[in-house]
Amino acid sequence: MADQEVKVLGQWGSPYSRRVELALKLKGVPYEYVEEDVYVKKSPLLLKSNPVHKKVPVLIHNGKPTVESLVIIEYIEETWKANPILPEDPYERAMARFWAKYIDDKCNPALWKAGWAEEEGREKAVEEAFGCLEVLENELKGKGTRFFGGDKIGLADIAANFIAFWLGIWEQCSGVQLLTGDKFPSLSNWKDEFLSCSVVKENLPPRENLVHVFQSILAKTFVASKSSVLINLK
């Protein structure tokens, strides 16, 4: 499959786009990256490739598009066999998918909301975010492994990239502290392990640029609405 065309339609600050790129890099798959302006003018290629959701990321493999970051990662896993992201054991594969979905459906929305919540609703939003982080903390506690699925990066780790990197910037800009070493030691250790991997570090957006974006969002000067900022990138 060395001569196949692989293209990623993405957005530089999107954790979902970066998931796809990380999976390809872990697999050693060369690809062309195309930056999309998802807030002002979506390209004809994006609208054609993802006509249902009109979002990034999109993986185009030999002219055929695949959408939704976790679906794309599964496609990458099944297409390129080297350096597996999912374990061989069926039960362990199911658990990796479960945690990836939990992170997407429960954790990320709760963490994002905690920084947005108005003063009267903030306590409840923060409590919900803490609950999600506690679930992940308990999953990692006592495992003795570097990552969710063992000693190398897998699907759940890739899915949790927002927690590892974007969350800290969101905390800085919103003033809401969520992931701390004293409260969540295992999850904090996981974050440090994940971010110390060279392939991960090479795949992160510039921190100062994200700070500017998040500050703009919180000041309500960003072109997207609150509810669509992360959703539009998934």
Side-chain angles (χ1 to χ4, degrees):
M1 296 190 180
D3 298 326
Q4 298 189 36
E5 178 190 47
V6 181
K7 184 178 295 186
V8 175
L9 310 185
Q11 198 270 345
W12 70 269
S14 165
Y16 302 103
S17 293
R18 298 286 178 162
R19 285 176 178 179
V20 173
E21 291 193 81
L22 177 56
L24 289 169
K25 288 175 180 177
L26 287 169
K27 291 279 190 178
V29 178
Y31 63 94
E32 176 190 353
Y33 175 78
V34 179
E35 176 74 9
E36 287 285 341
D37 186 345
V38 295
Y39 298 114
V40 179
K41 188 177 181 181
K42 299 176 183 181
S43 74
L45 180 59
L46 174 59
L47 297 176
K48 177 184 176 182
S49 302
N50 191 358
V52 176
H53 300 300
K54 303 177 177 63
K55 301 173 185 175
V56 296
V58 177
L59 178 78
I60 303 176
H61 181 209
N62 286 340
K64 296 179 179 180
T66 306
V67 302
E68 301 290 330
S69 61
L70 294 182
V71 176
I72 294 171
I73 294 171
E74 293 258 12
Y75 177 86
I76 291 169
E77 173 76 348
E78 293 176 7
T79 304
W80 293 278
K81 302 300 183 182
N83 305 318
I85 292 170
L86 282 163
E88 290 186 15
D89 180 77
Y91 177 77
E92 292 179 1
R93 290 171 75 91
M95 288 299 96
R97 292 184 176 111
F98 169 84
W99 288 113
K101 184 170 175 56
Y102 177 80
I103 289 164
D104 258 13
D105 292 351
K106 298 291 185 181
C107 290
N108 287 352
L111 297 171
W112 186 252
K113 182 181 177 182
W116 269 123
E118 302 292 342
E119 187 173 349
E120 61 272 17
R122 177 161 292 186
E123 183 177 350
K124 182 178 179 181
V126 169
E127 183 179 345
E128 182 182 352
F130 278 150
C132 290
L133 293 177
E134 186 175 0
V135 170
L136 296 181
E137 172 73 14
N138 290 336
E139 169 61 15
L140 288 167
K141 189 185 301 181
K143 277 189 135 181
T145 59
R146 297 175 64 197
F147 304 109
F148 278 95
D151 289 319
K152 64 178 184 177
I153 293 173
L155 177 65
D157 306 290
I158 297 172
N161 68 339
F162 174 82
I163 298 170
F165 183 70
W166 280 258
L167 177 59
I169 303 171
W170 186 233
E171 290 174 324
Q172 174 187 333
C173 295
S174 67
V176 178
Q177 196 71 25
L178 297 170
L179 179 54
T180 60
D182 58 338
K183 193 172 183 67
F184 304 107
S186 298
L187 192 55
S188 296
N189 288 338
W190 165 83
K191 178 188 75 172
D192 293 341
E193 289 281 2
F194 183 75
L195 294 179
S196 69
C197 295
S198 59
V199 67
V200 172
K201 287 190 286 189
E202 294 165 3
N203 192 51
L204 295 174
R207 184 181 180 91
E208 61 276 12
N209 291 6
L210 277 179
V211 168
H212 175 72
V213 169
F214 285 173
Q215 287 174 339
S216 297
I217 293 170
L218 288 165
K220 300 183 181 179
T221 58
F222 201 62
V223 295
S225 68
K226 291 181 182 180
S227 61
S228 67
V229 171
L230 273 184
I231 295 172
N232 212 16
L233 303 176
K234 186 173 177 181

